[in-house]
């Protein structure tokens, strides 16, 4: 299998990646936007998850909470995704070797599968249980898993900043 | 039943809050000085610059330090990012390979030839604070 390292070295040497890496303000702004958009995204997802597991808004139908939140969740996800990708491109070799970065990627994939599974299965029948204060077991499980995964993703993202295993 | 729900609704938010507070505390220190560097081990390194990485989030100074026995020890010194360096009057072009430098800082905990830089003294005598947030309150930033 060819190594990914030459591709990462090519990315790192790009003129615009170098300019951001050495910038006074560009990088800090990008980093701050990444964190702020994660706060918006994860916070709004957790509102839905708390309803799913039955710890908040139990008397409000799930879709009345989730439908209006959805575009804002997606906006937060899009901005955190774009800024995250840029942060990676600016310093790809450092992230590639960072154990917490790898953990975060795996957790992101797992959280994605959880959300996809939820939307393709139990959420299809939401019309039947929308107003139930206690959602079906599968839906509660998806909510609990989402809460755990997103919390773990934020923690692992935070730990990327440490050089412990570099 | 009701009791169980009350406990759940109170304990879980409390745990989440505690987690968020802990995360906030370490975020203040950017990455924690104490986890990587030892405030009890100050070092003063005099050497020649082999390489300078003027990069975010933190810059890296690579210094060749001649030992009393004539051998060269290669030090890696973590210092402020480009923004903080610029505000304190330093430029990327101030760093030229081969120039003599003095760096005061604190030694790493795990790897011996790594330090967290606090004060940089150039050959012309000008001195700059190059520390990062979370270091000991040693007055280097004054």
């Amino acid at each position: 299998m060819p190594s990914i390292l030459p591709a990462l070295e090519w990315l790192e040497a790009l003129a615009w990646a170098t300019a951001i890496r050495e910038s006074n303000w560009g990088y800090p702004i990008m980093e701050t936007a990444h964190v702020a958009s994660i706060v918006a995204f994860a916070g709004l997802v957790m509102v839905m998850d708390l309803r799913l597991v039955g710890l908040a808004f139990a008397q409000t139908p799930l879709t009345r909470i989730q439908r209006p939140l959805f575009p804002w969740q997606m906006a937060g996800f899009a901005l955190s995704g774009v800024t995250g990708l840029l942060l990676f491109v600016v310093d790809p070799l450092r992230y590639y070797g960072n154990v917490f970065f790898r953990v975060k990627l795996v957790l992101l994939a797992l959280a994605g599968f959880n959300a996809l599974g939820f939307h393709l299965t139990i959420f299809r029948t939401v019309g039947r249980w929308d107003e139930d204060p206690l959602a079906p077991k599968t839906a509660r499980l998806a909510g609990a898993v989402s809460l755990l995964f997103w919390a773990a993703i934020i923690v692992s993202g935070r730990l990327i900043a440490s050089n412990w295993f570099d | 039943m009701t009791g169980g729900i009350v406990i759940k609704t109170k304990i879980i938010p409390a745990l989440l809050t505690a987690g968020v507070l802990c995360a906030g505390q370490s975020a203040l220190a950017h990455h924690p000085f104490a986890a990587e560097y030892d405030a009890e081990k100050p070092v003063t390194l005099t050497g020649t610059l082999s390489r300078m990485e003027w990069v975010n989030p933190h810059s890296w100074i690579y210094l060749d330090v001649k030992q009393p026995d004539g051998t060269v020890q290669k030090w890696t010194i973590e210092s402020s990012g480009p923004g903080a360096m610029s505000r304190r009057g330093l430029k990327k072009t101030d760093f030229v390979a081969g120039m003599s430098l003095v760096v005061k800082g604190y030694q790493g905990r795990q790897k011996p030839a790594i330090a967290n830089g606090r004060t940089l003294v150039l050959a012309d005598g000008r001195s700059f604070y190059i520390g990062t947030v979370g270091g000991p309150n040693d007055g280097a930033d004054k």
Side-chain angles (χ1 to χ4, degrees):
Chain A
M1 206 178 97
S3 166
I4 194 177
L5 287 174
L8 299 182
E9 281 162 11
W10 175 79
L11 275 180
E12 192 180 77
L14 290 173
W16 62 268
T18 304
I20 295 175
R21 186 168 57 247
E22 299 185 352
S23 65
N24 285 356
W25 290 106
Y27 185 95
I29 289 170
M30 219 167 67
E31 205 177 24
T32 306
H34 187 58
V35 171
S37 54
I38 287 171
V39 169
F41 167 72
L44 295 176
V45 164
M46 284 177 180
V47 171
M48 175 191 68
D49 290 338
L50 287 172
R51 169 63 179 88
L52 274 177
V53 297
L55 288 174
F57 307 114
Q59 304 310 320
T60 311
L62 174 67
T63 55
R64 253 190 78 191
I65 296 168
Q66 179 51 18
R67 293 256 145 85
L69 289 185
F70 186 72
W72 300 104
Q73 292 167 337
M74 287 304 103
F77 186 77
L79 186 59
S80 64
V82 168
T83 49
L85 203 63
L86 281 170
L87 283 168
F88 174 77
V89 169
V90 162
D91 212 352
L93 292 168
R94 175 169 152 247
Y95 290 116
Y96 177 73
N98 187 296
V99 63
F100 296 111
F101 177 73
R102 294 179 179 200
V103 167
K104 185 180 174 182
L105 285 192
V106 171
L107 288 169
L108 274 171
L110 293 175
F113 284 129
N114 180 56
L116 194 67
F118 171 75
H119 281 279
L120 293 182
T121 61
I122 190 73
F123 194 62
R124 290 238 159 126
T125 66
V126 70
R128 269 183 259 149
W129 49 271
D130 202 16
E131 298 188 7
D132 297 356
L134 201 60
K137 206 171 204 169
T138 325
R140 276 183 280 152
L141 184 67
V145 167
S146 173
L147 279 172
L148 272 178
F149 278 172
W150 286 110
I153 286 164
I154 290 169
V155 170
S156 54
R158 174 64 190 82
L159 289 173
I160 292 172
S162 295
N163 310 324
W164 294 338
F165 301 110
D166 281 7
Chain B
M1 182 64 197
T2 319
I5 288 170
V6 168
I7 287 170
K8 265 200 279 181
T9 53
K10 289 214 168 131
I11 287 179
I12 295 180
L15 286 176
L16 288 174
T17 310
V20 167
L21 287 176
C22 290
Q25 198 161 33
S26 54
L28 284 176
H30 190 69
H31 58 218
F33 174 93
E36 290 168 46
Y37 301 101
D38 191 343
E40 305 294 316
K41 283 188 190 162
V43 283
T44 298
L45 304 163
T46 304
T48 55
L49 183 70
S50 91
R51 194 157 57 93
M52 159 66 168
E53 284 178 18
W54 178 270
V55 294
N56 280 287
H58 290 168
S59 298
W60 298 90
I61 294 168
Y62 298 89
L63 201 63
D64 290 345
V65 180
K66 204 168 254 176
Q67 300 301 109
D69 64 4
T71 60
V72 170
Q73 198 174 27
K74 293 193 163 296
W75 279 77
T76 301
I77 300 141
E78 180 169 11
S79 42
S80 326
M85 289 271 202
S86 300
R87 286 193 292 280
R88 295 167 195 157
L90 281 160
K91 295 186 298 288
K92 187 187 174 188
T93 47
D94 284 331
F95 295 88
V96 181
M99 74 196 289
S100 340
L101 289 180
V102 179
V103 177
K104 289 179 194 168
Y106 296 94
Q107 204 169 353
R109 287 188 186 277
Q110 288 136 359
K111 302 166 210 164
I114 285 187
N116 186 281
R118 300 290 290 171
T119 305
L120 169 77
V121 186
L122 299 178
D124 61 13
R126 287 185 298 152
S127 164
F128 298 90
Y129 174 56
I130 56 163
T132 51
V133 177
N137 188 15
D138 57 4
D141 55 335
K142 295 295 179 294

